[in-house]
Amino acid sequence: MTISDVSPRPADAGAPRPPLLEVTGLTKHFPITRGVLRRQIGAVKAVDGIDFTVAAGETLGLVGESGCGKTTTGRMLTRLEEPTGGRIVFDGRDITHLSVARMRPLRRDVQMVFQDPYSSLNPRHTVGTIVGAPYRLQSVKTEHGTKRAVQDLLERVGLSPEHYNRYPHEFSGGQRQRIGIARALALRPKLIVADEPVSALDVSIQAQVINLLEDLQDEFGLTYVVIAHDLSVVRHISDRVAVMYLGHIVEIGPRQAVYEKPQHPYTSALLSAVPVPDVTRRDNRERIRLQGDPPSPIDPPPACPFHTRCWKAQEVCRTVTPPLVEFAPGQRAACHFPENAPDGPYEPGTDSIVAPAS
């Protein structure tokens, strides 16, 4: 089974759900220091002011090329990294700058699945110790004991209860990732941040893990933020998609709208690079090849961060930062000259799209 064998999630036509997670102006700058006194001479602007919400029970896919700030964003959402600025509101509570002690009770509700199933598990501990650790750290008593609870979790993620006393090195990559998922699921969290959950796995195993995540979401009512660079994975698992470039969200919207009618040129370039297995469709699709390398987050370009590589860039793109504007229902993009806008380019200083002068 491969990714192409997995059916995309059906579009959610129900009523809008209340937000479980609200992110406003989230920023993370890593200082650059020099000398004996460690004087700061600059900063790596890994995440530079992003805004989004995640509704309860939905999956938000966070995509972009390496170095755009996806993983840093995920680590801030789980408070493994301290934000430089902005605000994170989870389930109505501001958790932006909570101390370790005050954040500890919330660990029951916010968990993370890490990218590398080989380094995220302690090789000296058995599976039972690894998956049972959340119960001990949170002093949670289960009805039939920790061992029985762990064995039930192993069964739910497709492993055998007999694996309880085995060590991580005795498992394949896909099995290790299932162990990581079981550990994240132990305390029945409300939100799981999955950082590249299948990128380190064999292609034949990826679809199995994706199906597992979807089944667990339906069973436990989970909310996901899935970080990935593989657009085919994001398309199959996400309800909405946010596209990041150089620490900024340049487009966000419903999965189908973003994939079928992208508004931002960078999104169009990303989608044009997705391999198409149907040979009859390959020749009809235009491949967009971006010129140059991504700018350094130490010294990002002014105004629109993408203007140095954009084929539609004009003078306004170099001087005025485009706001994240709604060009279609639920679909927002930060671009002065969007790809599929119905009436023309966005006029700076207004909150609407204006038709070009005739």
Side-chain angles (χ1 to χ4, degrees):
M1 180 183 289
T2 62
I3 296 297
S4 59
D5 298 321
V6 183
S7 299
R9 292 176 63 86
D12 186 1
R17 291 167 288 187
L20 177 70
L21 180 69
E22 298 177 82
V23 174
T24 307
L26 189 61
T27 302
K28 180 62 180 180
H29 294 175
F30 294 97
I32 302 174
T33 59
R34 178 182 295 173
V36 178
L37 299 179
R38 313 300 296 173
R39 181 171 57 91
Q40 183 173 342
I41 60 172
V44 177
K45 299 177 180 179
V47 179
D48 203 15
I50 61 174
D51 304 274
F52 63 89
T53 62
V54 185
E58 82 164 342
T59 299
L60 175 70
L62 199 58
V63 303
E65 58 192 315
S66 297
C68 70
K70 306 186 302 296
T71 295
T72 302
T73 299
R75 291 179 65 86
M76 284 192 289
L77 296 182
T78 55
R79 289 304 319 282
L80 297 178
E81 291 282 356
E82 179 73 17
T84 304
R87 194 162 179 252
I88 304 172
V89 177
F90 173 74
D91 203 14
R93 181 177 181 182
D94 190 340
I95 65 170
T96 313
H97 299 293
L98 288 184
S99 65
V100 174
R102 296 180 64 188
M103 188 66 195
R104 184 182 293 274
L106 289 177
R107 295 292 179 197
R108 296 189 182 191
D109 296 326
V110 183
Q111 288 291 318
M112 190 166 188
V113 176
F114 296 93
Q115 176 178 359
D116 187 358
Y118 294 90
S119 62
S120 62
L121 304 179
N122 191 327
R124 297 186 178 185
H125 291 171
T126 64
V127 169
T129 302
I130 292 171
V131 178
Y135 296 115
R136 293 188 296 274
L137 293 173
Q138 294 286 343
S139 301
V140 174
K141 302 298 183 182
T142 59
E143 183 178 357
H144 301 290
T146 299
K147 182 175 181 179
R148 175 69 178 274
V150 170
Q151 290 177 329
D152 289 342
L153 280 172
L154 293 178
E155 276 195 294
R156 280 203 165 114
V157 299
L159 297 174
S160 170
E162 298 176 358
H163 293 158
Y164 183 88
N165 290 317
R166 294 188 183 180
Y167 288 86
H169 72 270
E170 300 179 65
F171 297 91
S172 66
Q175 290 175 319
R176 293 188 196 192
Q177 194 61 293
R178 291 172 186 266
I179 295 171
I181 293 171
R183 176 176 58 185
L185 194 65
L187 299 177
R188 302 295 189 269
K190 297 178 181 178
L191 173 69
I192 291 182
V193 178
D195 183 13
E196 303 273 10
V198 298
S199 64
L201 306 181
D202 189 79
V203 174
S204 61
I205 305 299
Q206 291 184 0
Q208 298 177 20
V209 175
I210 290 174
N211 285 334
L212 172 64
L213 290 173
E214 291 184 343
D215 291 342
L216 292 173
Q217 183 175 39
D218 294 337
E219 182 178 355
F220 297 109
L222 301 172
T223 302
Y224 288 143
V225 174
V226 178
I227 299 167
H229 64 268
D230 189 333
L231 294 175
S232 60
V233 169
V234 172
R235 182 168 193 170
H236 284 90
I237 198 173
S238 301
D239 298 306
R240 290 191 302 132
V241 178
V243 182
M244 287 192 70
Y245 180 81
L246 206 63
H248 298 263
I249 289 181
V250 296
E251 183 167 356
I252 184 170
R255 176 200 63 220
Q256 187 172 354
V258 171
Y259 276 79
E260 294 182 359
K261 288 188 176 181
Q263 302 290 346
H264 200 280
Y266 178 64
T267 308
S268 298
L270 283 181
L271 293 174
S272 74
V274 177
V276 177
D278 187 353
V279 294
T280 62
R281 294 172 52 200
R282 289 179 186 170
D283 296 336
N284 298 327
R285 189 183 62 168
E286 179 185 1
R287 173 69 186 275
I288 301 174
R289 300 183 184 276
L290 299 179
Q291 302 298 316
D293 296 324
S296 170
I298 298 175
D299 185 24
C304 177
F306 187 59
H307 80 256
T308 58
R309 306 174 75 193
C310 183
W311 62 94
K312 304 178 74 173
Q314 299 184 25
E315 184 59 31
V316 67
C317 304
R318 302 178 181 90
T319 56
V320 180
T321 302
L324 202 61
V325 174
E326 189 170 21
F327 289 106
Q331 185 177 8
R332 296 182 294 157
C335 184
H336 295 301
F337 305 97
E339 290 282 272
N340 293 295
D343 298 315
Y346 171 77
E347 183 178 80
T350 71
D351 289 326
S352 62
I353 302 171
V354 296
S358 58

